[in-house]
Amino acid sequence: MSLMINAISAVGNNSSVYPLIVRDCVIEGPIKVAQNYNETAKESKRMGWHCLREKTIDEFGTSAIWIGGVPFVEAIANKIMKKTTGFNGKVNLKLLEKTKDGKGFKNPAQNIDINIKKFAKLAPEAVQDLINVKNNTAKYKKLSNQKYSAALILPMIAMGYVLPKLNYGLTNILIERDIKNGKLKSRKPQQAPQINVSNITAQNSNFKSLNSMRASSNPNFKGLGSTIATLSHTNKMAITDGGLAVGRVYTSRGKYEKIESAFNSIGMLVLNFGTPEYIDKGLNKITKSLFKINTALDPKIMADKRFLVKVRSNKLILPKKEEEVLDFIDNNPKSLLAKYARKNKIVKFLDNGVRDPREVVDTKKLFSLSENMRVFAAEAKKSNLGIAKYAKTAIKAKSFNIAANVAISSMLLAVGLPQAQFVLRRIMTGSNIAPGLVAAKKKEQRNIDRQG
């Protein structure tokens, strides 16, 4: 299978972190930095350079923490937990969930008792981890809640408070030096229209819900571990993005930068975590309608010769119901479904090829993959193109859809959102200069005037 197919597959998987990395670091970041410099430099080249430096630190520093912060904290916490208590932090809290009456497990197909019994001989080391947790469930739940709380809160603080404060502190130092050296002259600020910030906040329910996290001095994280135990990396990134929004608004310099920060943060949440999935579904429907080609399946599966041979020979065996997927995977660990469930990180396997009994499988996602394989096989066999040619055509169509999705969503993030933000800035302040830099300049000028 070619490197190109694997790359297209990775970027096209909206459940993975790869499309976010491409959009955020490769496309959105550089374009946003350039646009912000150009916008500010229209009025002041020197302020443009301050904006360039500040935006570069902001974009790429935030991206590094945003992408790697949660898994890094979780990994450190798991090591500490293992060393101090003997617990393996990989045991998913969903396996411990009980019914409301406490008499049975919430999930009869995936719970700690079932997995201990089922995998006792197949994965004895992993089962021992389950037994350790079962023997002291309350303590493990408490430690896990603390771990997940830290994994979400620490990156939020780092992105939303520490990084902006350090970044703005550097700006203050450099602007103060520029003023003293005569590189930035004081001038009477333009009269800006008055905007009631409280009304904007109150009218925006999304921002209000995020801001409520900061308003509470004692946030309650009880049960957090169980809630996010099966969340994907991208879902956890969405949560930290919400925390980042609150932190950015809180640390913003002046009311106009607060409004810009809120506008930008909410826009990024929508465009990063909602829009690409809808674009993907829309493009797949258009392709199906116009060209009678099914593009719901992953390109690397459509390019797999073993898969196509099984389709041609009617030997592709798949579960028929969602309730059957777990047993199917366990009984057929070398099947094509198991292979791509592993590659797409839907199911985690141990080194010996056995499903990891400490993890919980998203059976809906696994069955969806199975159904996509089944539908593609049926339509490929019915096609007049022949199975091989149908697969090649579908790969080309899917590749185009993925490229179009990345391009559309990236341009909305990198061009559409910033340009809308600049329009809002001009309406609020009557200026092209970033309001935070104006506020920083005023502050340092006042400090110098007092000292003089």
Side-chain angles (χ1 to χ4, degrees), residues 65-296:
I65 301 169
W66 184 53
I67 293 167
V70 171
F72 176 76
V73 175
E74 285 185 1
I76 296 297
N78 283 341
K79 286 185 178 181
I80 295 172
M81 192 186 300
K82 183 70 174 177
K83 188 172 182 179
T84 58
T85 66
F87 288 132
N88 190 321
K90 292 181 180 179
V91 177
N92 197 300
L93 289 178
K94 291 284 185 181
L95 295 172
L96 308 174
E97 283 191 336
K98 294 284 188 99
T99 54
K100 289 183 179 179
D101 59 16
K103 294 181 179 179
F105 286 99
K106 192 172 181 179
N107 188 338
Q110 296 186 79
N111 61 67
I112 195 164
D113 284 352
I114 287 286
N115 285 8
I116 287 174
K117 183 178 179 180
K118 187 174 185 179
F119 294 94
K121 294 182 179 179
L122 297 172
E125 290 185 10
V127 167
Q128 186 58 52
D129 290 334
L130 294 177
I131 293 172
N132 292 342
V133 169
K134 185 180 179 181
N135 290 339
N136 204 337
T137 300
K139 184 177 181 180
Y140 183 75
K141 284 183 176 180
K142 182 180 179 180
L143 290 171
S144 293
N145 284 330
Q146 291 172 351
K147 175 183 73 174
Y148 288 122
S149 297
L152 293 177
I153 294 170
L154 292 179
M156 287 180 189
I157 293 172
M159 290 188 297
Y161 187 80
V162 177
L163 182 63
K165 284 290 186 182
L166 292 174
N167 201 8
Y168 299 159
L170 176 61
T171 295
N172 289 341
I173 292 170
L174 296 177
I175 285 181
E176 181 181 352
R177 188 179 67 183
D178 280 352
I179 294 172
K180 286 181 177 179
N181 293 337
K183 293 181 180 179
L184 284 176
K185 297 180 180 179
S186 294
R187 65 172 185 170
K188 187 177 179 180
Q190 292 175 280
Q191 184 66 33
Q194 297 300 308
I195 295 178
N196 191 331
V197 183
S198 61
N199 286 345
I200 292 177
T201 304
Q203 290 169 5
N204 195 310
S205 59
N206 288 333
F207 175 73
K208 188 176 180 181
S209 65
L210 291 174
N211 201 39
S212 65
M213 290 176 62
R214 178 170 58 86
S216 172
S217 59
N218 294 300
N220 181 11
F221 292 101
K222 184 178 179 181
L224 177 65
S226 180
T227 303
I228 68 170
T230 55
L231 290 181
S232 66
H233 185 187
T234 53
N235 287 334
K236 291 173 185 175
M237 288 170 69
I239 294 172
T240 57
D241 221 12
L244 169 64
V246 174
R248 286 300 171 83
V249 174
Y250 180 71
T251 56
S252 293
R253 299 156 294 184
K255 66 180 180 180
Y256 297 127
E257 188 172 60
K258 288 182 185 295
I259 296 171
E260 272 202 23
S261 293
F263 179 82
N264 182 64
S265 296
I266 293 168
M268 287 186 67
L269 274 168
V270 173
L271 294 175
N272 258 324
F273 298 101
T275 305
E277 186 175 344
Y278 286 106
I279 293 173
D280 181 54
K281 289 179 180 178
L283 291 171
N284 286 340
K285 284 184 179 180
I286 292 170
T287 304
K288 177 73 173 176
S289 176
L290 294 179
F291 306 108
K292 311 300 180 187
I293 296 290
N294 187 311
T295 54

Side-chain angles (χ1 to χ4, degrees), residues 373-392:
M373 293 171 72
R374 185 196 305 281
V375 171
F376 178 88
E379 295 188 1
K381 284 189 288 186
K382 287 192 300 184
S383 172
N384 295 326
L385 297 173
I387 292 172
K389 193 170 182 180
Y390 181 90
K392 288 182 180 179

Side-chain angles (χ1 to χ4, degrees), residues 17-22 24-26 59-72 155 159 233-234 237 240:
V17 71
Y18 298 111
L20 292 171
I21 292 175
V22 171
D24 194 67
C25 300
V26 180
E59 286 291 329
F60 294 101
T62 299
S63 293
I65 301 169
W66 184 53
I67 293 167
V70 171
F72 176 76
M159 290 188 297
H233 185 187
T234 53
M237 288 170 69
T240 57

Side-chain angles (χ1 to χ4, degrees), residues 2-63:
S2 72
L3 182 64
M4 180 63 72
I5 291 292
N6 283 323
I8 292 170
S9 172
V11 174
N13 183 2
N14 288 311
S15 297
S16 77
V17 71
Y18 298 111
L20 292 171
I21 292 175
V22 171
R23 287 197 299 267
D24 194 67
C25 300
V26 180
I27 301 174
E28 180 192 348
I31 293 177
K32 272 190 174 180
V33 169
Q35 285 184 101
N36 276 271
Y37 167 76
N38 290 334
E39 190 71 15
T40 301
K42 288 177 182 177
E43 292 190 30
S44 168
K45 286 284 185 182
R46 192 65 190 172
M47 291 295 264
W49 283 110
H50 284 301
C51 182
L52 177 68
R53 182 206 64 258
E54 193 172 274
K55 196 66 179 173
T56 300
I57 294 172
D58 174 49
E59 286 291 329
F60 294 101
T62 299
S63 293

